[in-house]
């Protein structure tokens, strides 16, 4: 899949179709990095950060020096950890949503 097709489907929010095409590309060529990046972008758009992190880890296994994958993995990991913040864990929290 070329970049223009990817961007068009992403903008049209045809995410499930896009995911299937990208998964097929990855199955056909397990060492393909670009399809994994695109699939990770789709997962991020769907707020599925754990799946995106897993894809960035796979990319780093294929190409350990890939700086973009490292940065994106750290970013998605940060968002994921912030999303799991329990505001009810401490009654004296500054994150009280009712203030």
């Amino acid at each position: 899949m070329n970049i223009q097709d990817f961007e068009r489907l992403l903008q049209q929010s045809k995410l499930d179709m896009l995911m299937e095409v990208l998964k097929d590309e990855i199955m056909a060529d397990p060492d393909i990095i670009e399809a994994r990046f695109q699939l990770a972008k789709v997962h991020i758009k769907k707020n599925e950060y754990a799946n995106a992190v897993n894809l960035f880890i796979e990319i780093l296994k294929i190409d350990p020096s890939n700086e973009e994958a490292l940065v994106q993995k750290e970013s998605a990991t940060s968002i994921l950890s912030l999303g799991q913040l329990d505001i009810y864990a401490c009654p004296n929290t500054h994150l009280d949503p009712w203030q």
Side-chain angles (χ1 to χ4, degrees), residues 1-98:
M1 170 177 294
N2 64 38
I3 292 294
Q4 291 83 11
D5 291 338
F6 170 76
E7 292 297 331
R8 181 179 45 79
L9 290 173
L10 191 62
Q11 288 176 354
Q12 293 175 354
S13 293
K14 297 191 179 201
L15 302 180
D16 293 331
M17 180 192 330
L18 188 55
M19 288 176 73
E20 290 305 316
V21 170
L22 292 169
K23 286 178 183 178
D24 289 344
E25 285 185 22
I26 293 168
M27 291 291 284
D29 183 2
D31 291 332
I32 193 166
I33 290 178
E34 187 58 36
R36 290 179 197 278
F37 262 115
Q38 292 173 349
L39 186 56
K41 286 181 185 180
V42 174
H43 282 297
I44 289 171
K45 181 140 177 115
K46 292 179 76 173
N47 293 323
E48 297 173 349
Y49 293 99
N51 293 331
V53 169
N54 289 335
L55 285 164
F56 292 128
I57 290 170
E58 290 175 15
I59 291 168
L60 290 168
K61 285 180 183 176
I62 296 168
D63 180 11
S65 64
N66 192 311
E67 287 291 321
E68 185 179 358
L70 184 60
V71 169
Q72 292 291 334
K73 179 180 107 21
E74 295 302 319
S75 175
T77 301
S78 296
I79 292 169
L80 187 61
S81 66
L82 288 174
Q84 295 175 350
L85 189 61
D86 185 2
I87 63 169
Y88 302 104
C90 176
N92 297 326
T93 182
H94 65 283
L95 297 174
D96 186 352
W98 295 280

